[in-house]
PDB file of all heavy atoms in Angstrom:
ATOM      1  N   MET T   1      -1.250  18.684   6.971  1.00 64.00           N
ATOM      2  CA  MET T   1      -1.503  18.309   5.540  1.00 64.00           C
ATOM      3  C   MET T   1      -2.759  18.966   5.056  1.00 64.00           C
ATOM      4  O   MET T   1      -3.824  18.815   5.745  1.00 64.00           O
ATOM      5  CB  MET T   1      -1.534  16.797   5.481  1.00 64.00           C
ATOM      6  CG  MET T   1      -1.756  16.360   4.086  1.00 64.00           C
ATOM      7  SD  MET T   1      -1.465  14.591   3.903  1.00 64.00           S
ATOM      8  CE  MET T   1      -0.385  14.591   2.596  1.00 64.00           C
ATOM      9  N   LEU T   6      -5.544  16.001  -1.103  1.00 90.00           N
ATOM     10  CA  LEU T   6      -6.032  14.630  -0.790  1.00 90.00           C
ATOM     11  C   LEU T   6      -7.231  14.315  -1.634  1.00 90.00           C
ATOM     12  O   LEU T   6      -8.381  14.355  -1.155  1.00 90.00           O
ATOM     13  CB  LEU T   6      -6.329  14.360   0.653  1.00 90.00           C
ATOM     14  CG  LEU T   6      -5.127  14.672   1.560  1.00 90.00           C
ATOM     15  CD1 LEU T   6      -5.644  14.556   3.046  1.00 90.00           C
ATOM     16  CD2 LEU T   6      -3.931  13.850   1.274  1.00 90.00           C
ATOM     17  N   ALA T  35      -8.857   5.601   2.699  1.00 95.00           N
ATOM     18  CA  ALA T  35      -8.401   6.932   3.002  1.00 95.00           C
ATOM     19  C   ALA T  35      -8.234   7.875   1.823  1.00 95.00           C
ATOM     20  O   ALA T  35      -8.046   7.338   0.717  1.00 95.00           O
ATOM     21  CB  ALA T  35      -7.038   6.819   3.731  1.00 95.00           C
ATOM     22  N   CYS T  37      -6.084  10.391  -0.217  1.00 94.00           N
ATOM     23  CA  CYS T  37      -4.626  10.474  -0.377  1.00 94.00           C
ATOM     24  C   CYS T  37      -4.282  11.323  -1.529  1.00 94.00           C
ATOM     25  O   CYS T  37      -5.080  11.663  -2.399  1.00 94.00           O
ATOM     26  CB  CYS T  37      -4.019   9.027  -0.539  1.00 94.00           C
ATOM     27  SG  CYS T  37      -4.582   7.862   0.569  1.00 94.00           S
ATOM     28  N   SER T  38      -3.002  11.592  -1.628  1.00 93.00           N
ATOM     29  CA  SER T  38      -2.406  12.147  -2.858  1.00 93.00           C
ATOM     30  C   SER T  38      -1.519  11.112  -3.463  1.00 93.00           C
ATOM     31  O   SER T  38      -0.499  10.709  -2.823  1.00 93.00           O
ATOM     32  CB  SER T  38      -1.560  13.416  -2.447  1.00 93.00           C
ATOM     33  OG  SER T  38      -0.834  13.876  -3.611  1.00 93.00           O
ATOM     34  N   GLU T  60       3.469   6.146  -5.178  1.00 90.00           N
ATOM     35  CA  GLU T  60       3.772   6.782  -3.979  1.00 90.00           C
ATOM     36  C   GLU T  60       2.522   7.472  -3.421  1.00 90.00           C
ATOM     37  O   GLU T  60       1.887   8.214  -4.152  1.00 90.00           O
ATOM     38  CB  GLU T  60       4.858   7.780  -4.115  1.00 90.00           C
ATOM     39  CG  GLU T  60       5.238   8.536  -2.872  1.00 90.00           C
ATOM     40  CD  GLU T  60       6.352   9.541  -3.026  1.00 90.00           C
ATOM     41  OE1 GLU T  60       6.953   9.582  -4.134  1.00 90.00           O
ATOM     42  OE2 GLU T  60       6.608  10.298  -2.065  1.00 90.00           O
ATOM     43  N   ILE T  61       2.209   7.164  -2.193  1.00 94.00           N
ATOM     44  CA  ILE T  61       0.942   7.751  -1.595  1.00 94.00           C
ATOM     45  C   ILE T  61       1.381   8.643  -0.428  1.00 94.00           C
ATOM     46  O   ILE T  61       2.129   8.246   0.437  1.00 94.00           O
ATOM     47  CB  ILE T  61       0.049   6.619  -1.037  1.00 94.00           C
ATOM     48  CG1 ILE T  61      -0.331   5.655  -2.196  1.00 94.00           C
ATOM     49  CG2 ILE T  61      -1.146   7.165  -0.363  1.00 94.00           C
ATOM     50  CD1 ILE T  61      -1.049   4.323  -1.718  1.00 94.00           C
ATOM     51  N   LYS T  62       0.877   9.849  -0.476  1.00 94.00           N
ATOM     52  CA  LYS T  62       1.016  10.766   0.657  1.00 94.00           C
ATOM     53  C   LYS T  62      -0.347  10.911   1.362  1.00 94.00           C
ATOM     54  O   LYS T  62      -1.328  11.195   0.710  1.00 94.00           O
ATOM     55  CB  LYS T  62       1.481  12.148   0.241  1.00 94.00           C
ATOM     56  CG  LYS T  62       2.903  12.101  -0.235  1.00 94.00           C
ATOM     57  CD  LYS T  62       3.443  13.469  -0.579  1.00 94.00           C
ATOM     58  CE  LYS T  62       4.861  13.355  -1.032  1.00 94.00           C
ATOM     59  NZ  LYS T  62       5.367  14.697  -1.449  1.00 94.00           N
ATOM     60  N   THR T  63      -0.416  10.672   2.640  1.00 94.00           N
ATOM     61  CA  THR T  63      -1.627  10.681   3.340  1.00 94.00           C
ATOM     62  C   THR T  63      -1.402  10.993   4.868  1.00 94.00           C
ATOM     63  O   THR T  63      -0.342  11.159   5.271  1.00 94.00           O
ATOM     64  CB  THR T  63      -2.410   9.367   3.206  1.00 94.00           C
ATOM     65  OG1 THR T  63      -3.673   9.422   3.765  1.00 94.00           O
ATOM     66  CG2 THR T  63      -1.585   8.200   3.806  1.00 94.00           C
ATOM     67  N   ARG T  64      -2.513  11.006   5.538  1.00 94.00           N
ATOM     68  CA  ARG T  64      -2.413  11.203   6.977  1.00 94.00           C
ATOM     69  C   ARG T  64      -2.099   9.870   7.663  1.00 94.00           C
ATOM     70  O   ARG T  64      -2.504   8.821   7.180  1.00 94.00           O
ATOM     71  CB  ARG T  64      -3.753  11.751   7.535  1.00 94.00           C
ATOM     72  CG  ARG T  64      -4.068  13.117   7.039  1.00 94.00           C
ATOM     73  CD  ARG T  64      -5.261  13.639   7.702  1.00 94.00           C
ATOM     74  NE  ARG T  64      -5.498  15.078   7.299  1.00 94.00           N
ATOM     75  CZ  ARG T  64      -6.394  15.450   6.449  1.00 94.00           C
ATOM     76  NH1 ARG T  64      -7.152  14.613   5.851  1.00 94.00           N
ATOM     77  NH2 ARG T  64      -6.511  16.748   6.121  1.00 94.00           N
ATOM     78  N   PRO T  65      -1.422   9.916   8.816  1.00 94.00           N
ATOM     79  CA  PRO T  65      -1.039   8.619   9.490  1.00 94.00           C
ATOM     80  C   PRO T  65      -2.325   7.875   9.936  1.00 94.00           C
ATOM     81  O   PRO T  65      -3.288   8.443  10.381  1.00 94.00           O
ATOM     82  CB  PRO T  65      -0.287   9.091  10.720  1.00 94.00           C
ATOM     83  CG  PRO T  65       0.221  10.472  10.390  1.00 94.00           C
ATOM     84  CD  PRO T  65      -0.862  11.045   9.468  1.00 94.00           C
ATOM     85  N   SER T  66      -2.257   6.523   9.780  1.00 94.00           N
ATOM     86  CA  SER T  66      -3.406   5.643  10.213  1.00 94.00           C
ATOM     87  C   SER T  66      -2.812   4.298  10.429  1.00 94.00           C
ATOM     88  O   SER T  66      -1.787   3.911   9.811  1.00 94.00           O
ATOM     89  CB  SER T  66      -4.468   5.670   9.193  1.00 94.00           C
ATOM     90  OG  SER T  66      -5.462   4.721   9.533  1.00 94.00           O
ATOM     91  N   THR T  67      -3.472   3.480  11.176  1.00 94.00           N
ATOM     92  CA  THR T  67      -3.055   2.098  11.452  1.00 94.00           C
ATOM     93  C   THR T  67      -3.283   1.152  10.307  1.00 94.00           C
ATOM     94  O   THR T  67      -2.813   0.085  10.284  1.00 94.00           O
ATOM     95  CB  THR T  67      -3.798   1.531  12.723  1.00 94.00           C
ATOM     96  OG1 THR T  67      -5.162   1.585  12.567  1.00 94.00           O
ATOM     97  CG2 THR T  67      -3.329   2.333  13.905  1.00 94.00           C
ATOM     98  N   ILE T  68      -4.102   1.640   9.268  1.00 95.00           N
ATOM     99  CA  ILE T  68      -4.351   0.700   8.154  1.00 95.00           C
ATOM    100  C   ILE T  68      -3.119   0.542   7.258  1.00 95.00           C
ATOM    101  O   ILE T  68      -2.992  -0.438   6.522  1.00 95.00           O
ATOM    102  CB  ILE T  68      -5.575   1.161   7.308  1.00 95.00           C
ATOM    103  CG1 ILE T  68      -5.282   2.529   6.671  1.00 95.00           C
ATOM    104  CG2 ILE T  68      -6.817   1.240   8.175  1.00 95.00           C
ATOM    105  CD1 ILE T  68      -6.415   2.958   5.662  1.00 95.00           C
ATOM    106  N   TRP T  69      -2.216   1.511   7.308  1.00 95.00           N
ATOM    107  CA  TRP T  69      -0.997   1.493   6.449  1.00 95.00           C
ATOM    108  C   TRP T  69       0.071   0.640   7.082  1.00 95.00           C
ATOM    109  O   TRP T  69       0.679   1.083   8.021  1.00 95.00           O
ATOM    110  CB  TRP T  69      -0.548   2.880   6.220  1.00 95.00           C
ATOM    111  CG  TRP T  69      -1.504   3.839   5.597  1.00 95.00           C
ATOM    112  CD1 TRP T  69      -2.222   4.785   6.188  1.00 95.00           C
ATOM    113  CD2 TRP T  69      -2.073   3.765   4.256  1.00 95.00           C
ATOM    114  NE1 TRP T  69      -3.078   5.343   5.383  1.00 95.00           N
ATOM    115  CE2 TRP T  69      -3.035   4.774   4.127  1.00 95.00           C
ATOM    116  CE3 TRP T  69      -1.798   2.943   3.165  1.00 95.00           C
ATOM    117  CZ2 TRP T  69      -3.772   4.972   2.914  1.00 95.00           C
ATOM    118  CZ3 TRP T  69      -2.502   3.170   1.984  1.00 95.00           C
ATOM    119  CH2 TRP T  69      -3.450   4.172   1.936  1.00 95.00           C
ATOM    120  N   GLN T  70       0.276  -0.560   6.578  1.00 94.00           N
ATOM    121  CA  GLN T  70       1.305  -1.458   7.075  1.00 94.00           C
ATOM    122  C   GLN T  70       1.874  -2.191   5.914  1.00 94.00           C
ATOM    123  O   GLN T  70       1.220  -2.528   4.988  1.00 94.00           O
ATOM    124  CB  GLN T  70       0.747  -2.441   8.090  1.00 94.00           C
ATOM    125  CG  GLN T  70       0.313  -1.847   9.365  1.00 94.00           C
ATOM    126  CD  GLN T  70      -0.224  -2.852  10.345  1.00 94.00           C
ATOM    127  OE1 GLN T  70      -0.062  -4.075  10.171  1.00 94.00           O
ATOM    128  NE2 GLN T  70      -0.881  -2.412  11.369  1.00 94.00           N
ATOM    129  N   ILE T  84       1.998  -2.863  -0.559  1.00 92.00           N
ATOM    130  CA  ILE T  84       2.611  -1.815   0.312  1.00 92.00           C
ATOM    131  C   ILE T  84       4.003  -2.318   0.678  1.00 92.00           C
ATOM    132  O   ILE T  84       4.146  -3.336   1.459  1.00 92.00           O
ATOM    133  CB  ILE T  84       1.811  -1.461   1.474  1.00 92.00           C
ATOM    134  CG1 ILE T  84       0.477  -0.897   1.046  1.00 92.00           C
ATOM    135  CG2 ILE T  84       2.518  -0.482   2.374  1.00 92.00           C
ATOM    136  CD1 ILE T  84      -0.549  -0.586   2.170  1.00 92.00           C
ATOM    137  N   ALA T  86       6.615  -0.085   1.974  1.00 89.00           N
ATOM    138  CA  ALA T  86       7.217   0.648   3.088  1.00 89.00           C
ATOM    139  C   ALA T  86       6.260   1.754   3.421  1.00 89.00           C
ATOM    140  O   ALA T  86       5.615   2.413   2.596  1.00 89.00           O
ATOM    141  CB  ALA T  86       8.629   1.223   2.765  1.00 89.00           C
ATOM    142  N   VAL T  87       6.252   2.085   4.727  1.00 92.00           N
ATOM    143  CA  VAL T  87       5.533   3.219   5.288  1.00 92.00           C
ATOM    144  C   VAL T  87       6.546   4.112   5.953  1.00 92.00           C
ATOM    145  O   VAL T  87       7.246   3.738   6.862  1.00 92.00           O
ATOM    146  CB  VAL T  87       4.438   2.796   6.331  1.00 92.00           C
ATOM    147  CG1 VAL T  87       3.680   4.026   6.823  1.00 92.00           C
ATOM    148  CG2 VAL T  87       3.479   1.855   5.676  1.00 92.00           C
ATOM    149  N   LEU T  88       6.734   5.389   5.444  1.00 91.00           N
ATOM    150  CA  LEU T  88       7.778   6.218   5.938  1.00 91.00           C
ATOM    151  C   LEU T  88       7.220   7.504   6.550  1.00 91.00           C
ATOM    152  O   LEU T  88       6.306   8.054   6.010  1.00 91.00           O
ATOM    153  CB  LEU T  88       8.729   6.665   4.713  1.00 91.00           C
ATOM    154  CG  LEU T  88       9.265   5.480   3.922  1.00 91.00           C
ATOM    155  CD1 LEU T  88       9.939   6.029   2.617  1.00 91.00           C
ATOM    156  CD2 LEU T  88      10.195   4.639   4.693  1.00 91.00           C
ATOM    157  N   GLN T  89       7.832   7.933   7.613  1.00 92.00           N
ATOM    158  CA  GLN T  89       7.510   9.178   8.256  1.00 92.00           C
ATOM    159  C   GLN T  89       8.166  10.353   7.485  1.00 92.00           C
ATOM    160  O   GLN T  89       9.171  10.192   6.824  1.00 92.00           O
ATOM    161  CB  GLN T  89       8.038   9.281   9.691  1.00 92.00           C
ATOM    162  CG  GLN T  89       7.432   8.251  10.623  1.00 92.00           C
ATOM    163  CD  GLN T  89       5.955   8.506  10.882  1.00 92.00           C
ATOM    164  OE1 GLN T  89       5.458   9.668  10.840  1.00 92.00           O
ATOM    165  NE2 GLN T  89       5.148   7.449  11.166  1.00 92.00           N
ATOM    166  N   THR T  90       7.527  11.491   7.442  1.00 90.00           N
ATOM    167  CA  THR T  90       8.121  12.679   6.811  1.00 90.00           C
ATOM    168  C   THR T  90       8.455  13.609   7.912  1.00 90.00           C
ATOM    169  O   THR T  90       8.336  13.306   9.070  1.00 90.00           O
ATOM    170  CB  THR T  90       7.047  13.328   5.779  1.00 90.00           C
ATOM    171  OG1 THR T  90       5.916  13.735   6.580  1.00 90.00           O
ATOM    172  CG2 THR T  90       6.644  12.365   4.719  1.00 90.00           C
ATOM    173  N   SER T  91       8.935  14.778   7.538  1.00 91.00           N
ATOM    174  CA  SER T  91       9.300  15.764   8.503  1.00 91.00           C
ATOM    175  C   SER T  91       8.042  16.418   9.176  1.00 91.00           C
ATOM    176  O   SER T  91       8.162  17.060  10.197  1.00 91.00           O
ATOM    177  CB  SER T  91      10.176  16.881   7.881  1.00 91.00           C
ATOM    178  OG  SER T  91       9.473  17.505   6.815  1.00 91.00           O
ATOM    179  N   ARG T  92       6.876  16.161   8.558  1.00 91.00           N
ATOM    180  CA  ARG T  92       5.634  16.773   9.135  1.00 91.00           C
ATOM    181  C   ARG T  92       4.944  15.594  10.006  1.00 91.00           C
ATOM    182  O   ARG T  92       4.996  14.467   9.674  1.00 91.00           O
ATOM    183  CB  ARG T  92       4.674  17.092   8.000  1.00 91.00           C
ATOM    184  CG  ARG T  92       5.296  18.158   7.103  1.00 91.00           C
ATOM    185  CD  ARG T  92       4.378  18.397   5.959  1.00 91.00           C
ATOM    186  NE  ARG T  92       2.998  18.588   6.389  1.00 91.00           N
ATOM    187  CZ  ARG T  92       2.270  19.707   6.115  1.00 91.00           C
ATOM    188  NH1 ARG T  92       2.736  20.702   5.435  1.00 91.00           N
ATOM    189  NH2 ARG T  92       1.050  19.780   6.592  1.00 91.00           N
ATOM    190  N   VAL T  93       4.357  16.055  11.050  1.00 91.00           N
ATOM    191  CA  VAL T  93       3.689  15.118  11.978  1.00 91.00           C
ATOM    192  C   VAL T  93       2.425  14.601  11.342  1.00 91.00           C
ATOM    193  O   VAL T  93       2.015  13.420  11.661  1.00 91.00           O
ATOM    194  CB  VAL T  93       3.369  15.837  13.345  1.00 91.00           C
ATOM    195  CG1 VAL T  93       2.535  14.993  14.301  1.00 91.00           C
ATOM    196  CG2 VAL T  93       4.684  16.274  14.012  1.00 91.00           C
ATOM    197  N   ASP T  94       1.758  15.295  10.511  1.00 91.00           N
ATOM    198  CA  ASP T  94       0.391  14.910  10.030  1.00 91.00           C
ATOM    199  C   ASP T  94       0.534  14.280   8.641  1.00 91.00           C
ATOM    200  O   ASP T  94      -0.443  14.229   7.882  1.00 91.00           O
ATOM    201  CB  ASP T  94      -0.504  16.100   9.988  1.00 91.00           C
ATOM    202  CG  ASP T  94      -0.011  17.175   9.000  1.00 91.00           C
ATOM    203  OD1 ASP T  94       1.234  17.189   8.699  1.00 91.00           O
ATOM    204  OD2 ASP T  94      -0.793  18.079   8.689  1.00 91.00           O
ATOM    205  N   GLU T  95       1.680  13.731   8.228  1.00 93.00           N
ATOM    206  CA  GLU T  95       1.879  13.151   6.856  1.00 93.00           C
ATOM    207  C   GLU T  95       2.817  11.980   6.872  1.00 93.00           C
ATOM    208  O   GLU T  95       3.788  11.964   7.628  1.00 93.00           O
ATOM    209  CB  GLU T  95       2.433  14.223   6.010  1.00 93.00           C
ATOM    210  CG  GLU T  95       2.676  13.747   4.580  1.00 93.00           C
ATOM    211  CD  GLU T  95       3.310  14.960   3.776  1.00 93.00           C
ATOM    212  OE1 GLU T  95       2.515  15.687   3.253  1.00 93.00           O
ATOM    213  OE2 GLU T  95       4.546  14.928   3.687  1.00 93.00           O
ATOM    214  N   ILE T  96       2.390  10.938   6.080  1.00 94.00           N
ATOM    215  CA  ILE T  96       3.297   9.829   5.858  1.00 94.00           C
ATOM    216  C   ILE T  96       3.420   9.528   4.364  1.00 94.00           C
ATOM    217  O   ILE T  96       2.537   9.972   3.614  1.00 94.00           O
ATOM    218  CB  ILE T  96       2.805   8.527   6.559  1.00 94.00           C
ATOM    219  CG1 ILE T  96       1.417   8.135   6.142  1.00 94.00           C
ATOM    220  CG2 ILE T  96       2.925   8.632   8.134  1.00 94.00           C
ATOM    221  CD1 ILE T  96       0.929   6.745   6.591  1.00 94.00           C
ATOM    222  N   ARG T  97       4.454   8.862   3.964  1.00 92.00           N
ATOM    223  CA  ARG T  97       4.616   8.430   2.569  1.00 92.00           C
ATOM    224  C   ARG T  97       4.486   6.820   2.617  1.00 92.00           C
ATOM    225  O   ARG T  97       5.203   6.198   3.310  1.00 92.00           O
ATOM    226  CB  ARG T  97       5.942   8.804   2.025  1.00 92.00           C
ATOM    227  CG  ARG T  97       6.057  10.307   1.789  1.00 92.00           C
ATOM    228  CD  ARG T  97       7.459  10.685   1.282  1.00 92.00           C
ATOM    229  NE  ARG T  97       7.875   9.851   0.225  1.00 92.00           N
ATOM    230  CZ  ARG T  97       9.225   9.545   0.044  1.00 92.00           C
ATOM    231  NH1 ARG T  97      10.082   9.931   0.797  1.00 92.00           N
ATOM    232  NH2 ARG T  97       9.515   8.814  -1.029  1.00 92.00           N
ATOM    233  N   VAL T  98       3.711   6.364   1.685  1.00 93.00           N
ATOM    234  CA  VAL T  98       3.518   4.912   1.513  1.00 93.00           C
ATOM    235  C   VAL T  98       4.081   4.531   0.132  1.00 93.00           C
ATOM    236  O   VAL T  98       3.586   5.043  -0.854  1.00 93.00           O
ATOM    237  CB  VAL T  98       2.085   4.514   1.673  1.00 93.00           C
ATOM    238  CG1 VAL T  98       1.871   3.038   1.568  1.00 93.00           C
ATOM    239  CG2 VAL T  98       1.468   5.038   2.983  1.00 93.00           C
ATOM    240  N   LEU T  99       5.049   3.678   0.090  1.00 90.00           N
ATOM    241  CA  LEU T  99       5.621   3.229  -1.166  1.00 90.00           C
ATOM    242  C   LEU T  99       5.152   1.862  -1.508  1.00 90.00           C
ATOM    243  O   LEU T  99       5.036   0.945  -0.739  1.00 90.00           O
ATOM    244  CB  LEU T  99       7.171   3.170  -1.052  1.00 90.00           C
ATOM    245  CG  LEU T  99       7.852   4.500  -0.647  1.00 90.00           C
ATOM    246  CD1 LEU T  99       9.317   4.281  -0.492  1.00 90.00           C
ATOM    247  CD2 LEU T  99       7.501   5.590  -1.603  1.00 90.00           C
TER     248      LEU T  99
END
Side-chain angles (χ1 to χ4, degrees):
M1 176 168 235
L6 303 177
C37 309
S38 172
E60 180 180 350
I61 300 170
K62 290 184 182 178
T63 186
R64 293 186 174 105
S66 175
T67 57
I68 65 172
W69 303 107
Q70 292 181 11
I84 298 175
V87 180
L88 307 172
Q89 296 291 333
T90 63
S91 60
R92 299 174 51 122
V93 174
D94 62 343
E95 179 181 273
I96 59 171
R97 287 177 52 214
V98 181
L99 303 178

